[in-house]
Amino acid sequence: MKLAAHDHGGDGPPILLLHGAGGDMSAWDVLAPQLNGRCVAVDLRGHGQSPDGPWDWDAVLDDIESTAVHFGLSTPFVVGHSLGGILAGMWARRHPDCPGAVSLDGHRSAATDPANYAGLDDVAGPLAKLNAIFTAQEEMITRPNREITSALRKSPEFADALPVFAGVTVPFLLALATRNLPVPPDLVPLMDAHRAGLRRDLPLVCPNVRVREIDATHGMVYERPAEVAAVVNDFIAR
């Protein structure tokens, strides 16, 4: 599948930029010029200006690989936000020659397995409410289509990408948001428990992954592009 993409140019190592679910390559318009490398941002299948297609992780990685070949990006760094961060981990696992990969708060879905929340006695009730919110949103979203959003929500890798990250052998950085997105007040403890679960599990499941916390919400790419760019640039330089 031929993806829509934008070459931001720039000097330095090649960098592939992968947006989050429901986003598109414009997510990188502010951040990309601040990165020290030649940045190419893509629209994943079913997003932005790219064609629709069934969501299969290997097929999506094939799409991205074809894009890298088209632009002549040999062994690029891969930087992804949210869903794109999960894909960055998958790319790095597939390409042991990759110089490095970065996930910007892409790790576990907010609605994940109850065992992935830490320090909260009642997980079932708030989790059911959160799932109901996501279901209602899914019915209103037109792009990506419902087939893709449904496939993502049912995917074990989307629910918890830590086992994917554990298989990465190249340098890998996870930037973890320290603030919650706006949610109903009764869901704040669930979101806090989600983050506590990540802090608990990352050193155990993914000792190979470097973790850097950023004082922002999940929307860190939009909220703090200069800080995020500095973190990515430092990782690439090292």
Side-chain angles (χ1 to χ4, degrees), residues 5 59 77 137 149 161 173 175 203-204 228:
F77 285 90
Q137 291 176 340
T149 55
L173 174 69
L204 300 175
V228 171

Side-chain angles (χ1 to χ4, degrees), residues 31-187:
L31 199 153
Q34 302 181 59
L35 295 177
N36 297 332
R38 179 196 172 190
C39 296
V40 173
V42 304
D43 281 344
L44 301 173
R45 64 165 58 191
H47 293 73
Q49 301 174 52
S50 289
D52 288 327
W55 191 268
D56 174 84
W57 294 106
D58 284 331
V60 172
L61 289 170
D62 289 343
D63 297 343
I64 299 168
E65 192 147 6
S66 295
T67 304
V69 170
H70 173 83
F71 284 96
L73 306 183
S74 177
T75 57
F77 285 90
V78 182
V79 178
H81 174 233
S82 191
L83 169 63
I86 296 173
L87 285 164
M90 291 181 173
W91 174 280
R93 188 175 62 174
R94 178 190 270 201
H95 294 273
D97 59 340
C98 174
V102 180
S103 173
L104 302 174
D105 213 43
H107 34 66
R108 285 172 171 163
S109 169
T112 181
D113 188 277
N116 292 334
Y117 302 88
L120 185 65
D121 293 332
D122 177 22
V123 173
L127 185 55
K129 180 172 182 178
L130 182 62
N131 271 308
I133 291 173
F134 286 157
T135 298
Q137 291 176 340
E138 186 178 322
E139 294 175 353
M140 294 185 294
I141 294 172
T142 58
R143 192 150 182 82
N145 60 37
R146 194 173 300 180
E147 180 183 357
I148 290 178
T149 55
S150 177
L152 284 172
R153 290 185 65 190
K154 294 175 182 176
S155 168
E157 294 86 353
F158 188 72
D160 185 6
L162 268 59
V164 172
F165 298 165
V168 174
T169 58
V170 309
F172 189 85
L173 174 69
L174 172 62
L176 183 64
T178 62
R179 298 187 183 185
N180 297 325
L181 283 168
V183 294
D186 58 340
L187 292 184

